[in-house]
Amino acid sequence: MSGHAEHKETQGGYEPKIMAFVCNWCTYAGADLAGTSRMEYRPNVRIIKLPCTGRIDPLFIIKAFENGADGVLVSGCHPGDCHYTTGNYHARRRWIGFKNLMEFVGIDMRRLHFSWVSASEAIKWVDLINNVTDEIKKLGPFMDYKGLKEAAPAE
Amino acid sequence: MPRIGVFVCQCGNNIAATVDTKKVASDMGKLLGVVYTCDYKFMCSSPGQEMLKQAIKENNLDGVIVSACSPHMHEKTFRKASEAAGLNPYQCEITNIREQCSWVHHDKTRAVGTLKSNDLTRMTIERLKRNKPLQKIKIPVKKRALVIGGGIAGIQAALDIAEGGREVILVEKEPSIGGNMARLSETFPTMDCSQCILTPKMVEVELNENIKLYTYSEIEKVDGYIGNFTVQIRRKSKYVDEERCTGCGECIEKCPFKVESQFELGLAKRKVIYTPFPQSVPNVPVIDAPNCTKIQKDKCGVCAVVCGPKCIDFKMEDKVVTEEVGAIVVATGYTLMPNERFGAYGYGKIKDVISGMQFERLASSSGPTGGEIRRPSDGKVPESVVFIQCVGSRDEKCGVSYCSKICCMYTAKHTMLYSHKVHGGQSYVFYMDIRSGGKRYEEFVRRAIEHDNAMYLRGRVSRVYEKDGKVIVQGADTLSGSQVEIEADMVVLATAIVSREGADTVAQKLGIGYDKYKFYNEYHPKLKPVETVTAGIYLAGTCMGPMDIPESVAQGSAAAAKVMALFSADEMAREPITALVNKVTCNACWDCLTACPYSAIEREAVKNRQGEVVRWLAKVNDGLCQGCGVCVAACRSKSIDLKGYTDEQVFAAINAF
Ligand SMILES: Cc1cc2nc3c(=O)[nH]c(=O)nc-3n(C[C@H](O)[C@H](O)[C@H](O)COP(=O)(O)OP(=O)(O)OC[C@H]3O[C@@H](n4cnc5c(N)ncnc54)[C@H](O)[C@@H]3O)c2cc1C
Ligand code: SF4
Ligand code: SF4
Ligand code: FES
């Protein structure tokens, strides 16, 4: 299956694609709240919902880049607020170890964002998406990994 | 080839204003495996749901996507409708194109919203193609409950469950139930005598056929999960046969040795064979083995001689019994901050500086002084008493930053009791501020001040010392801005309410959380106040933090209601989102086991025909697994996966990005 949406060339120029991995209980609910409150934010983000940030396998992130993401966001409950008590601590610990590996495999850490957003922090979510989008926009498209996917033999 | 149907909702104009739902439907129709698409005004309405069911049947769909509002809104609705049409409910997935698309991207040309809705729906379709039908997990429920702790909270919980017709095992570590309330004299705000309202309840526990009471017992080990716990209980040796003892008290009468009474907090002595207090339930004495000369040195044994029914057995040993229960209520209560911490107040050094609980014993008609207020040093009736509030509480230096919540109230009560019992006596209260936020509580404190002549001084005490048979209290009165010095006959400290020693060990046995003060954590402080993170284990009373009797009782009843709800069905249905181990590739590294927040992963031995263990495997206990997926990301050999959120499903969604 190939990702279809090419980068839109609108009047604003290049529009980055951002993939967000979020937990079901805090960030997903926070993003829903931004909707029910009719806030507005940049449309570049595509959310994948998981039960908890503890479920997030670092490979998801690499795969996202491979499939054309220019930036990746990981977001869940604040420390201490995880629905499963400690899932986000695991995620954080794993993340620290993984950071070095990410750098080693050539992922620009500025393209990777980690943030706690609670179910009530709709404004934080909105600001986060807008800021991340702007930042990635400045960095331009992330070509290194996109190439990989196209070069790989078809699944 | 899958047969997927995609239903795009317009949500009136809520989605349709910024998303071209027709285009989304027709674009999705071009994807491999999608055999039916449509858009509709209100998918969640009855006609919408009917249409969904119809389409499933007519087109023989094996999976459906509803692109509509958040799954938190209507996932259940559409899964139920799908199930009614004969589809496995977990073959129905929701794409959130309202809260996370149409409502947050206001582009009136609909280009932005349509593109994003397409992307999101496509990702869900690819994920759905990897879905497996899942079955709700059915767990049989054992309809018996365990209550740990026989204070007022535990008593209330046990009685409510028993009256609801279910069996209860009540485990109390002391020789009698009753807890701290058994020590109190009269109780705020109504001033009814504590024993008078508590004793009938204790007797009810004893007489209720649904309650099995294990006193002088403690929890040794807890295994299992909601609906199916196995609990080992250590029944400490009482050296008295409970079945045969008639409670005549002859043995206590004749025992020649006395030691300090824990129940009386050092204000009186008791015999070596004893019941903690006269109204004890059960009314069966126990022998305090370390102090018994018969047990220690084989001398005396007079109790066995005088006992009519011959129920004393110096060779009796502890017994461990096993009970199977479906739910557990923890009501292990509180204790008071130990004396040593208050050197500045002379506590532990000056005899006439006592704690609030000791004052309760002095005021109690069944206490060591028969209810007369007499000071410990010389038995004199004190003409003036200084009460000091917030001793240890709200003071991080003493280790406790919280407010003990009930001391303002019981200190007011103490001044009243004192003024009723000692005419002409003068009481002084040093306080930081008065917290009396309960029903009729403020009126109660006012009464102490206005009718019972208590002198309230706002300020801290700096020093307490002894001089010529008096206790001198020096402190500040911040309202008048002056230093005060009071010559008192007795000083009463409202010491902080703290968790019991060993509260953490009990929590670890149960697998429940506790805070830095070792008070137990409720699942949610507002919405799940008596639940714990471990399903099937509930909390009641002061093991969670300071509270008064009405609150403790309310929580006992609340926990009982939760237990009864759990027991209302023979089986419990649970979402089937749990982890599953691949038995072929698991290499027993136990990374998952250490990561799991719920101890849901067990070690399973694989045996050969000779019964020898050939290898080990991780195994998920579906009763405990909450489906967080922490183990999945922890497993380095990719041998564990989460149903409903498998790697395959997630990667499919990423690939369709
Ligand atoms: C000085 C003073 C005066 C007070 N006056 C009033 C008043 O006038 N009005 C009012 O409403 N409140 C008053 N209170 C508060 C009242 O005492 C409590 O709210 C109430 O007793 C709490 O009951 P509980 O069941 O939660 O705990 P507890 O009474 O502490 O009972 C807990 C029980 O669990 C048992 N236990 C502990 N650990 C284990 C274990 N591991 N295994 C088995 N059993 C165990 C204990 O032995 C005990 O029997 C006063 C408190 C103090 C300190
Ligand atoms: S982490 Fe993986 S390999 Fe290790 S024990 Fe668990 S399932 Fe088996
Ligand atoms: S999914 Fe979570 S709760 Fe279930 S076994 Fe894995 S880590 Fe434990
Ligand atoms: S549930 Fe949100 S981070 Fe664990």
Side-chain angles (χ1 to χ4, degrees):
Chain A
M1 188 69 212
S2 68
H4 95 152
E6 276 74 53
H7 304 297
K8 289 174 290 152
E9 299 296 332
T10 56
Q11 308 99 301
Y14 151 72
E15 286 294 333
K17 288 181 69 180
I18 294 158
M19 167 124 279
F21 296 102
V22 311
C23 85
N24 179 42
W25 303 97
C26 285
T27 305
Y28 196 86
D32 271 0
L33 182 62
T36 25
S37 321
R38 306 297 200 278
M39 295 172 173
E40 188 169 18
Y41 57 83
R42 307 251 202 289
N44 308 57
V45 65
R46 304 287 178 269
I47 284 185
I48 288 188
K49 171 167 81 78
L50 295 156
C52 173
T53 52
R55 170 68 185 91
I56 297 168
D57 189 321
L59 261 182
F60 294 172
I61 296 165
I62 295 187
K63 278 280 172 205
F65 283 122
E66 224 182 85
N67 280 283
D70 302 301
V72 172
L73 170 67
V74 173
S75 177
C77 314
H78 285 262
D81 287 352
C82 172
H83 183 76
Y84 306 97
T85 62
T86 54
N88 52 4
Y89 291 121
H90 283 281
R92 184 164 65 180
R93 214 173 308 142
R94 212 175 286 143
W95 165 255
I96 292 165
F98 205 71
K99 225 170 147 165
N100 298 328
L101 185 61
M102 290 283 183
E103 273 167 348
F104 180 74
V105 297
I107 289 171
D108 184 343
M109 290 312 284
R110 289 174 302 174
R111 295 187 179 274
L112 202 39
H113 291 256
F114 211 93
S115 176
W116 314 117
V117 175
S118 81
S120 61
E121 291 176 325
I123 297 175
K124 185 170 177 191
W125 172 253
V126 168
D127 290 345
L128 179 69
I129 299 304
N130 288 341
N131 292 340
V132 169
T133 307
D134 289 347
E135 198 163 320
I136 305 291
K137 214 167 180 172
K138 265 186 247 145
L139 293 171
F142 185 45
M143 295 315 292
D144 310 14
Y145 268 67
K146 274 174 211 153
L148 282 184
K149 166 105 185 189
E150 266 122 53
E155 280 169 41
Chain B
M1 181 60 69
R3 298 186 60 79
I4 293 174
V6 178
F7 303 80
V8 188
C9 184
Q10 300 167 359
C11 195
N13 235 353
N14 279 305
I15 293 174
T18 49
V19 174
D20 182 345
T21 50
K22 280 215 164 31
K23 183 166 172 11
V24 175
S26 76
D27 284 351
M28 293 304 109
K30 294 178 198 137
L31 296 177
L32 211 63
V34 177
V35 297
Y36 178 89
T37 66
C38 70
D39 75 325
Y40 187 69
K41 199 140 196 87
F42 289 111
M43 277 308 297
C44 62
S45 66
S46 302
Q49 291 188 46
E50 273 318 307
M51 192 186 75
L52 178 93
K53 290 183 206 166
Q54 222 36 54
I56 293 175
K57 286 185 205 150
E58 277 167 18
N59 301 283
N60 203 13
L61 301 179
D62 59 12
V64 299
I65 303 273
V66 184
S67 287
C69 55
S70 170
H72 291 187
M73 290 290 299
H74 278 308
E75 186 177 75
K76 279 210 176 90
T77 313
F78 294 122
R79 286 192 166 166
K80 230 169 134 187
S82 304
E83 196 174 15
L87 200 63
N88 181 285
Y90 299 92
Q91 293 292 95
C92 165
E93 293 280 358
I94 311 299
T95 316
N96 184 344
I97 60 165
R98 191 180 74 175
E99 282 83 346
Q100 298 186 6
C101 185
S102 74
W103 274 351
V104 286
H105 310 312
H106 305 173
D107 169 28
K108 285 281 177 285
T109 72
R110 305 199 293 182
V112 163
T114 308
L115 177 89
K116 182 162 175 180
S117 297
N118 265 346
D119 283 357
L120 292 173
T121 308
R122 193 179 56 250
M123 287 162 72
T124 322
I125 292 172
E126 289 311 314
R127 176 186 203 289
L128 173 67
K129 286 183 186 166
R130 276 83 179 170
N131 274 23
K132 300 236 161 51
L134 299 173
Q135 307 304 331
K136 281 234 159 98
I137 300 171
K138 295 255 164 71
I139 304 174
V141 176
K142 286 209 185 76
K143 299 179 183 183
R144 312 170 78 213
L146 168 75
V147 176
I148 310 174
I152 188 60
I155 289 176
Q156 186 65 40
L159 284 175
D160 283 1
I161 298 168
E163 274 157 25
R166 301 296 174 196
E167 261 181 80
V168 183
I169 292 132
L170 176 57
V171 174
E172 165 59 54
K173 81 172 185 211
E174 297 297 329
S176 170
I177 55 171
N180 278 303
M181 188 175 165
R183 290 193 170 111
L184 305 182
S185 52
E186 286 164 26
T187 52
F188 66 74
T190 43
M191 290 307 239
D192 21 19
C193 118
S194 190
Q195 282 294 354
C196 311
I197 55 175
L198 176 64
T199 312
K201 283 202 175 264
M202 291 166 56
V203 173
E204 255 186 85
V205 167
E206 191 171 37
L207 297 181
N208 195 310
E209 283 176 358
N210 280 335
I211 301 180
K212 200 195 258 184
L213 178 60
Y214 289 142
T215 48
Y216 217 40
S217 301
E218 275 181 77
I219 302 303
E220 189 109 327
K221 193 162 176 270
V222 181
D223 284 313
Y225 49 90
I226 182 166
N228 301 272
F229 295 103
T230 306
V231 189
Q232 288 181 6
I233 301 159
R234 173 170 295 271
R235 306 197 62 193
K236 284 180 284 182
S237 165
K238 293 183 173 178
Y239 301 95
V240 175
D241 183 338
E242 255 181 279
E243 300 303 313
R244 283 191 307 189
C245 172
T246 60
C248 69
E250 196 65 17
C251 52
I252 303 176
E253 186 71 35
K254 297 285 151 56
C255 173
F257 299 104
K258 277 187 170 180
V259 292
E260 209 157 84
S261 160
Q262 294 92 340
F263 182 80
E264 298 293 357
L265 303 160
L267 294 173
K269 292 198 181 317
R270 62 152 166 84
K271 294 292 179 66
V272 168
I273 185 165
Y274 72 105
T275 56
F277 50 98
Q279 306 87 334
S280 287
V281 166
N283 185 20
V284 174
V286 301
I287 295 181
D288 168 0
N291 285 309
C292 170
T293 54
K294 178 71 187 171
I295 292 169
Q296 299 304 330
K297 303 183 215 148
D298 198 23
K299 278 186 195 135
C300 183
V302 83
C303 48
V305 178
V306 298
C307 177
K310 296 284 164 244
C311 40
I312 295 194
D313 172 7
F314 296 110
K315 299 252 148 47
M316 192 184 275
E317 279 178 2
D318 290 7
K319 263 204 295 260
V320 176
V321 293
T322 304
E323 295 282 358
E324 314 248 305
V325 296
I328 301 177
V329 177
V330 188
T332 47
Y334 71 97
T335 186
L336 294 170
M337 192 179 269
N339 319 356
E340 308 83 68
R341 302 257 188 102
F342 313 113
Y345 294 150
Y347 193 32
K349 282 187 301 228
I350 307 171
K351 269 197 163 164
D352 296 323
V353 177
I354 62 172
S355 73
M357 195 55 109
Q358 285 171 314
F359 188 86
E360 292 285 341
R361 293 314 298 150
L362 294 183
S364 167
S365 50
S366 60
T369 55
E372 285 176 30
I373 307 294
R374 295 186 173 278
R375 62 183 204 174
S377 63
D378 53 9
K380 192 181 136 211
V381 176
E383 280 160 26
S384 60
V385 179
V386 171
F387 294 89
I388 307 177
Q389 290 193 182
C390 294
V391 177
S393 305
R394 306 167 70 193
D395 185 350
E396 195 63 66
K397 282 199 296 290
C398 284
V400 164
S401 57
Y402 56 83
C403 163
S404 288
K405 201 170 164 184
I406 55 169
C407 325
C408 288
M409 289 304 295
Y410 75 60
T411 301
K413 171 181 79 174
H414 289 171
T415 64
M416 277 184 203
L417 289 170
Y418 174 65
S419 95
H420 298 173
K421 286 172 188 274
V422 181
H423 297 287
Q426 177 64 55
S427 57
Y428 304 87
V429 178
F430 281 93
Y431 69 103
M432 281 163 74
D433 29 41
I434 298 296
R435 298 180 170 185
S436 50
K439 196 170 170 180
R440 290 193 287 274
Y441 282 14
E442 178 61 21
E443 296 89 322
F444 184 84
V445 176
R446 289 249 72 86
R447 204 165 89 213
I449 298 171
E450 285 158 15
H451 292 265
D452 293 298
N453 201 26
M455 166 98 83
Y456 271 68
L457 299 159
R458 187 169 203 266
R460 297 294 276 176
V461 168
S462 51
R463 198 157 94 100
V464 176
Y465 61 96
E466 222 172 353
K467 199 175 135 196
D468 307 330
K470 291 269 182 193
V471 190
I472 317 292
V473 180
Q474 287 179 336
D477 176 1
T478 52
L479 291 183
S480 70
S482 58
Q483 289 296 316
V484 284
E485 184 173 293
I486 298 166
E487 279 188 19
D489 289 320
M490 190 164 84
V491 172
V492 181
L493 307 179
T495 50
I497 301 267
V498 294
S499 60
R500 284 187 186 258
E501 208 186 310
D504 45 350
T505 329
V506 174
Q508 285 153 12
K509 282 182 191 161
L510 291 160
I512 60 174
Y514 49 89
D515 64 19
K516 69 170 173 170
Y517 302 112
K518 297 184 187 147
F519 283 124
Y520 299 151
N521 287 340
E522 55 281 61
Y523 195 119
H524 188 285
K526 294 174 197 73
L527 302 177
K528 292 193 174 184
V530 296
E531 289 97 319
T532 67
V533 291
T534 305
I537 304 188
Y538 308 93
L539 303 172
T542 45
C543 57
M544 260 181 279
M547 63 183 82
D548 56 18
I549 296 165
E551 270 184 279
S552 305
V553 171
Q555 290 203 337
S557 286
K562 289 281 164 193
V563 171
M564 293 311 286
L566 173 64
F567 288 178
S568 63
D570 298 334
E571 281 184 332
M572 245 181 52
R574 287 203 33 207
E575 284 293 303
I577 311 299
T578 53
L580 187 69
V581 176
N582 179 336
K583 296 193 174 188
V584 180
T585 54
C586 169
N587 58 23
C589 68
W590 311 128
D591 281 350
C592 55
L593 187 144
T594 38
C596 176
Y598 298 95
S599 312
I601 299 195
E602 295 161 0
R603 294 180 165 90
E604 184 186 26
V606 182
K607 291 184 184 155
N608 63 12
R609 263 189 240 144
Q610 282 74 43
E612 297 152 349
V613 177
V614 284
R615 59 187 281 241
W616 291 90
L617 279 179
K619 186 178 172 218
V620 177
N621 182 327
D622 274 349
L624 289 173
C625 176
Q626 302 293 313
C628 64
V630 168
C631 55
V632 182
C635 175
R636 277 171 287 185
S637 64
K638 299 238 156 283
S639 302
I640 191 163
D641 215 340
L642 184 64
K643 286 181 258 173
Y645 291 92
T646 59
D647 273 349
E648 206 195 346
Q649 287 171 299
V650 179
F651 283 128
I654 300 174
N655 283 337
F657 171 56

PDB file of all heavy atoms in Angstrom, chain B residues 175 206 238 240-243 245-247 274-276 280-286:
ATOM      1  N   PRO B 175      -7.070  -8.708  68.637  1.00  0.00           N
ATOM      2  CA  PRO B 175      -7.967  -9.743  69.172  1.00  0.00           C
ATOM      3  C   PRO B 175      -9.444  -9.375  69.051  1.00  0.00           C
ATOM      4  O   PRO B 175     -10.300 -10.241  69.168  1.00  0.00           O
ATOM      5  CB  PRO B 175      -7.575  -9.841  70.646  1.00  0.00           C
ATOM      6  CG  PRO B 175      -6.228  -9.219  70.752  1.00  0.00           C
ATOM      7  CD  PRO B 175      -6.144  -8.202  69.660  1.00  0.00           C
ATOM      8  N   GLU B 206     -20.743 -10.275  64.632  1.00  0.00           N
ATOM      9  CA  GLU B 206     -20.557 -11.588  65.224  1.00  0.00           C
ATOM     10  C   GLU B 206     -21.746 -12.503  64.942  1.00  0.00           C
ATOM     11  O   GLU B 206     -21.584 -13.700  64.725  1.00  0.00           O
ATOM     12  CB  GLU B 206     -20.362 -11.437  66.737  1.00  0.00           C
ATOM     13  CG  GLU B 206     -19.905 -12.724  67.390  1.00  0.00           C
ATOM     14  CD  GLU B 206     -19.498 -12.510  68.835  1.00  0.00           C
ATOM     15  OE1 GLU B 206     -20.158 -11.702  69.510  1.00  0.00           O
ATOM     16  OE2 GLU B 206     -18.529 -13.146  69.273  1.00  0.00           O
ATOM     17  N   LYS B 238      -3.995 -17.888  69.496  1.00  0.00           N
ATOM     18  CA  LYS B 238      -4.528 -17.174  70.669  1.00  0.00           C
ATOM     19  C   LYS B 238      -4.258 -17.953  71.951  1.00  0.00           C
ATOM     20  O   LYS B 238      -4.473 -17.460  73.040  1.00  0.00           O
ATOM     21  CB  LYS B 238      -6.043 -16.998  70.513  1.00  0.00           C
ATOM     22  CG  LYS B 238      -6.455 -16.066  69.386  1.00  0.00           C
ATOM     23  CD  LYS B 238      -7.978 -15.882  69.343  1.00  0.00           C
ATOM     24  CE  LYS B 238      -8.342 -14.816  68.333  1.00  0.00           C
ATOM     25  NZ  LYS B 238      -9.794 -14.634  68.206  1.00  0.00           N
ATOM     26  N   VAL B 240      -6.100 -20.020  73.011  1.00  0.00           N
ATOM     27  CA  VAL B 240      -7.423 -20.255  73.591  1.00  0.00           C
ATOM     28  C   VAL B 240      -8.295 -20.808  72.467  1.00  0.00           C
ATOM     29  O   VAL B 240      -8.320 -20.238  71.375  1.00  0.00           O
ATOM     30  CB  VAL B 240      -8.041 -18.930  74.113  1.00  0.00           C
ATOM     31  CG1 VAL B 240      -9.465 -19.170  74.612  1.00  0.00           C
ATOM     32  CG2 VAL B 240      -7.187 -18.311  75.213  1.00  0.00           C
ATOM     33  N   ASP B 241      -8.980 -21.892  72.737  1.00  0.00           N
ATOM     34  CA  ASP B 241      -9.854 -22.498  71.740  1.00  0.00           C
ATOM     35  C   ASP B 241     -11.122 -21.655  71.593  1.00  0.00           C
ATOM     36  O   ASP B 241     -11.966 -21.616  72.488  1.00  0.00           O
ATOM     37  CB  ASP B 241     -10.203 -23.931  72.177  1.00  0.00           C
ATOM     38  CG  ASP B 241     -11.060 -24.639  71.140  1.00  0.00           C
ATOM     39  OD1 ASP B 241     -11.712 -23.936  70.333  1.00  0.00           O
ATOM     40  OD2 ASP B 241     -11.065 -25.884  71.141  1.00  0.00           O
ATOM     41  N   GLU B 242     -11.214 -20.982  70.450  1.00  0.00           N
ATOM     42  CA  GLU B 242     -12.308 -20.041  70.239  1.00  0.00           C
ATOM     43  C   GLU B 242     -13.679 -20.699  70.256  1.00  0.00           C
ATOM     44  O   GLU B 242     -14.665 -20.095  70.664  1.00  0.00           O
ATOM     45  CB  GLU B 242     -12.127 -19.373  68.871  1.00  0.00           C
ATOM     46  CG  GLU B 242     -11.637 -17.960  68.957  1.00  0.00           C
ATOM     47  CD  GLU B 242     -11.489 -17.349  67.585  1.00  0.00           C
ATOM     48  OE1 GLU B 242     -10.461 -17.609  66.931  1.00  0.00           O
ATOM     49  OE2 GLU B 242     -12.396 -16.619  67.182  1.00  0.00           O
ATOM     50  N   GLU B 243     -13.717 -21.932  69.759  1.00  0.00           N
ATOM     51  CA  GLU B 243     -15.001 -22.629  69.650  1.00  0.00           C
ATOM     52  C   GLU B 243     -15.593 -22.903  71.033  1.00  0.00           C
ATOM     53  O   GLU B 243     -16.785 -22.778  71.249  1.00  0.00           O
ATOM     54  CB  GLU B 243     -14.823 -23.965  68.915  1.00  0.00           C
ATOM     55  CG  GLU B 243     -14.273 -23.832  67.498  1.00  0.00           C
ATOM     56  CD  GLU B 243     -15.148 -22.942  66.635  1.00  0.00           C
ATOM     57  OE1 GLU B 243     -16.384 -23.154  66.660  1.00  0.00           O
ATOM     58  OE2 GLU B 243     -14.606 -22.034  65.971  1.00  0.00           O
ATOM     59  N   CYS B 245     -14.528 -21.557  74.110  1.00  0.00           N
ATOM     60  CA  CYS B 245     -14.493 -20.495  75.120  1.00  0.00           C
ATOM     61  C   CYS B 245     -15.874 -19.864  75.279  1.00  0.00           C
ATOM     62  O   CYS B 245     -16.541 -19.536  74.300  1.00  0.00           O
ATOM     63  CB  CYS B 245     -13.481 -19.430  74.707  1.00  0.00           C
ATOM     64  SG  CYS B 245     -13.514 -17.968  75.760  1.00  0.00           S
ATOM     65  N   THR B 246     -16.291 -19.708  76.518  1.00  0.00           N
ATOM     66  CA  THR B 246     -17.605 -19.114  76.768  1.00  0.00           C
ATOM     67  C   THR B 246     -17.492 -17.630  77.099  1.00  0.00           C
ATOM     68  O   THR B 246     -18.490 -16.952  77.271  1.00  0.00           O
ATOM     69  CB  THR B 246     -18.293 -19.800  77.967  1.00  0.00           C
ATOM     70  OG1 THR B 246     -17.446 -19.610  79.115  1.00  0.00           O
ATOM     71  CG2 THR B 246     -18.499 -21.280  77.708  1.00  0.00           C
ATOM     72  N   GLY B 247     -16.259 -17.163  77.219  1.00  0.00           N
ATOM     73  CA  GLY B 247     -16.059 -15.752  77.525  1.00  0.00           C
ATOM     74  C   GLY B 247     -16.358 -15.417  78.971  1.00  0.00           C
ATOM     75  O   GLY B 247     -16.692 -14.272  79.288  1.00  0.00           O
ATOM     76  N   TYR B 274      -5.875 -11.725  78.033  1.00  0.00           N
ATOM     77  CA  TYR B 274      -6.693 -10.503  78.045  1.00  0.00           C
ATOM     78  C   TYR B 274      -7.618 -10.401  76.828  1.00  0.00           C
ATOM     79  O   TYR B 274      -7.414 -11.064  75.815  1.00  0.00           O
ATOM     80  CB  TYR B 274      -5.774  -9.270  78.051  1.00  0.00           C
ATOM     81  CG  TYR B 274      -5.075  -9.041  76.709  1.00  0.00           C
ATOM     82  CD1 TYR B 274      -5.496  -8.028  75.845  1.00  0.00           C
ATOM     83  CD2 TYR B 274      -4.013  -9.842  76.301  1.00  0.00           C
ATOM     84  CE1 TYR B 274      -4.874  -7.838  74.620  1.00  0.00           C
ATOM     85  CE2 TYR B 274      -3.385  -9.663  75.083  1.00  0.00           C
ATOM     86  CZ  TYR B 274      -3.832  -8.653  74.243  1.00  0.00           C
ATOM     87  OH  TYR B 274      -3.218  -8.484  73.032  1.00  0.00           O
ATOM     88  N   THR B 275      -8.618  -9.578  76.975  1.00  0.00           N
ATOM     89  CA  THR B 275      -9.332  -9.027  75.822  1.00  0.00           C
ATOM     90  C   THR B 275      -8.998  -7.541  75.851  1.00  0.00           C
ATOM     91  O   THR B 275      -8.851  -6.972  76.933  1.00  0.00           O
ATOM     92  CB  THR B 275     -10.863  -9.212  75.911  1.00  0.00           C
ATOM     93  OG1 THR B 275     -11.322  -8.632  77.125  1.00  0.00           O
ATOM     94  CG2 THR B 275     -11.258 -10.684  75.861  1.00  0.00           C
ATOM     95  N   PRO B 276      -8.866  -6.892  74.673  1.00  0.00           N
ATOM     96  CA  PRO B 276      -8.417  -5.499  74.689  1.00  0.00           C
ATOM     97  C   PRO B 276      -9.340  -4.589  75.487  1.00  0.00           C
ATOM     98  O   PRO B 276      -8.881  -3.669  76.160  1.00  0.00           O
ATOM     99  CB  PRO B 276      -8.420  -5.102  73.214  1.00  0.00           C
ATOM    100  CG  PRO B 276      -8.447  -6.368  72.441  1.00  0.00           C
ATOM    101  CD  PRO B 276      -9.047  -7.418  73.317  1.00  0.00           C
ATOM    102  N   SER B 280     -15.214  -6.431  73.812  1.00  0.00           N
ATOM    103  CA  SER B 280     -14.530  -7.031  72.671  1.00  0.00           C
ATOM    104  C   SER B 280     -15.399  -8.048  71.924  1.00  0.00           C
ATOM    105  O   SER B 280     -16.160  -8.788  72.529  1.00  0.00           O
ATOM    106  CB  SER B 280     -13.270  -7.762  73.139  1.00  0.00           C
ATOM    107  OG  SER B 280     -12.294  -6.819  73.502  1.00  0.00           O
ATOM    108  N   VAL B 281     -15.251  -8.030  70.597  1.00  0.00           N
ATOM    109  CA  VAL B 281     -15.899  -9.030  69.750  1.00  0.00           C
ATOM    110  C   VAL B 281     -14.821  -9.663  68.888  1.00  0.00           C
ATOM    111  O   VAL B 281     -14.122  -8.943  68.166  1.00  0.00           O
ATOM    112  CB  VAL B 281     -16.981  -8.372  68.852  1.00  0.00           C
ATOM    113  CG1 VAL B 281     -17.408  -9.337  67.740  1.00  0.00           C
ATOM    114  CG2 VAL B 281     -18.186  -7.950  69.679  1.00  0.00           C
ATOM    115  N   PRO B 282     -14.625 -10.957  68.976  1.00  0.00           N
ATOM    116  CA  PRO B 282     -15.314 -11.899  69.854  1.00  0.00           C
ATOM    117  C   PRO B 282     -14.846 -11.732  71.298  1.00  0.00           C
ATOM    118  O   PRO B 282     -13.747 -11.268  71.543  1.00  0.00           O
ATOM    119  CB  PRO B 282     -14.865 -13.256  69.299  1.00  0.00           C
ATOM    120  CG  PRO B 282     -13.512 -12.989  68.710  1.00  0.00           C
ATOM    121  CD  PRO B 282     -13.565 -11.593  68.191  1.00  0.00           C
ATOM    122  N   ASN B 283     -15.689 -12.169  72.212  1.00  0.00           N
ATOM    123  CA  ASN B 283     -15.338 -12.052  73.625  1.00  0.00           C
ATOM    124  C   ASN B 283     -14.506 -13.262  74.037  1.00  0.00           C
ATOM    125  O   ASN B 283     -14.910 -14.057  74.880  1.00  0.00           O
ATOM    126  CB  ASN B 283     -16.612 -11.922  74.464  1.00  0.00           C
ATOM    127  CG  ASN B 283     -16.299 -11.675  75.922  1.00  0.00           C
ATOM    128  OD1 ASN B 283     -15.190 -11.234  76.250  1.00  0.00           O
ATOM    129  ND2 ASN B 283     -17.240 -11.992  76.785  1.00  0.00           N
ATOM    130  N   VAL B 284     -13.367 -13.395  73.375  1.00  0.00           N
ATOM    131  CA  VAL B 284     -12.466 -14.516  73.629  1.00  0.00           C
ATOM    132  C   VAL B 284     -11.095 -13.937  73.945  1.00  0.00           C
ATOM    133  O   VAL B 284     -10.563 -13.160  73.154  1.00  0.00           O
ATOM    134  CB  VAL B 284     -12.367 -15.420  72.384  1.00  0.00           C
ATOM    135  CG1 VAL B 284     -11.322 -16.506  72.590  1.00  0.00           C
ATOM    136  CG2 VAL B 284     -13.716 -16.022  72.044  1.00  0.00           C
ATOM    137  N   PRO B 285     -10.549 -14.282  75.103  1.00  0.00           N
ATOM    138  CA  PRO B 285      -9.231 -13.722  75.430  1.00  0.00           C
ATOM    139  C   PRO B 285      -8.109 -14.363  74.625  1.00  0.00           C
ATOM    140  O   PRO B 285      -8.280 -15.439  74.057  1.00  0.00           O
ATOM    141  CB  PRO B 285      -9.071 -14.056  76.914  1.00  0.00           C
ATOM    142  CG  PRO B 285      -9.960 -15.211  77.154  1.00  0.00           C
ATOM    143  CD  PRO B 285     -11.073 -15.148  76.159  1.00  0.00           C
ATOM    144  N   VAL B 286      -6.983 -13.675  74.561  1.00  0.00           N
ATOM    145  CA  VAL B 286      -5.788 -14.247  73.940  1.00  0.00           C
ATOM    146  C   VAL B 286      -4.660 -14.161  74.961  1.00  0.00           C
ATOM    147  O   VAL B 286      -4.681 -13.313  75.854  1.00  0.00           O
ATOM    148  CB  VAL B 286      -5.378 -13.487  72.655  1.00  0.00           C
ATOM    149  CG1 VAL B 286      -6.499 -13.510  71.635  1.00  0.00           C
ATOM    150  CG2 VAL B 286      -4.974 -12.055  72.957  1.00  0.00           C
TER     151      VAL B 286
END
